[in-house]
Amino acid sequence: MKKSGILLAAVICMMLQTVSAFAQDKLITSEQLPSTITSFIQKNFPGQVIDYVNIDSEFADTDFDDDFYYDDFDDTIYEICLNNGIEIDFDINGNWKKVDCYYMTVPMQIIPSPIAQYVDVHFCGQEIVKIDKKHYGYEVELSNGVEAKFNHQGELLSIDN
């Protein structure tokens, strides 16, 4: 009985250590952002103010290989929320990874033109409200809830209703 109690305590301690190792997020000020990120926001979301910036400090000290991609690997470093609720994620180099506008339209200059054209022709009247860069290309969510995946050339891969 005493051994199982010690074993249980050891397992709980290991789990807490694991959780704390992944909880490396911290808030920073918008002034601490790289200029590429602030320029992107000023250009694509004029007049919007940054509410908060969350930085994943565990990955911020990691050197990523550009060829290293996995679907379940999230190399987001900066998570930014604007005052209108839009959320934008950036990688360590200041490149956008995800733009989630919820019920607002993603700015057209962010969307690759073949994807914008495909949506305009095949989903008339629908707007892109979220765009994610993936290893295979892009995943977009439309205002009607449809999700579509495109390759890097903007060719449709799949649709999920």
Side-chain angles (χ1 to χ4, degrees), residues 15-134:
M15 288 174 51
L16 289 174
Q17 245 180 344
T18 303
V19 169
S20 67
F22 287 110
Q24 299 293 323
D25 293 352
K26 67 178 181 177
L27 293 176
I28 63 169
T29 65
S30 58
E31 290 79 25
Q32 294 172 290
L33 285 170
S35 60
T36 55
I37 293 176
T38 54
S39 296
F40 176 88
I41 292 170
Q42 290 169 353
K43 176 183 175 189
N44 297 295
F45 301 94
Q48 296 301 313
V49 178
I50 295 173
D51 263 355
Y52 69 84
V53 179
N54 188 35
I55 183 170
D56 188 329
S57 58
E58 179 181 335
F59 287 122
D61 296 328
T62 304
D63 184 27
F64 290 104
D65 178 1
D66 289 332
D67 296 330
F68 183 73
Y69 287 106
Y70 289 106
D71 277 335
D72 57 352
F73 179 74
D74 184 9
D75 60 350
T76 297
I77 302 300
Y78 301 97
E79 299 170 346
I80 297 172
C81 185
L82 303 181
N83 64 333
N84 62 355
I86 292 173
E87 294 181 7
I88 311 166
D89 292 350
F90 294 89
D91 66 14
I92 196 166
N93 298 316
N95 301 308
W96 70 269
K97 297 289 295 170
K98 177 180 80 170
V99 177
D100 193 346
C101 294
Y102 294 96
Y103 300 105
M104 295 173 269
T105 304
V106 172
M108 290 303 293
Q109 60 269 22
I110 296 173
I111 304 166
S113 58
I115 294 174
Q117 291 171 359
Y118 185 92
V119 169
D120 189 43
V121 170
H122 294 91
F123 295 98
C124 187
Q126 297 302 311
E127 303 292 334
I128 296 175
V129 295
K130 180 180 177 183
I131 186 165
D132 262 310
K133 286 184 184 175
K134 301 288 188 178

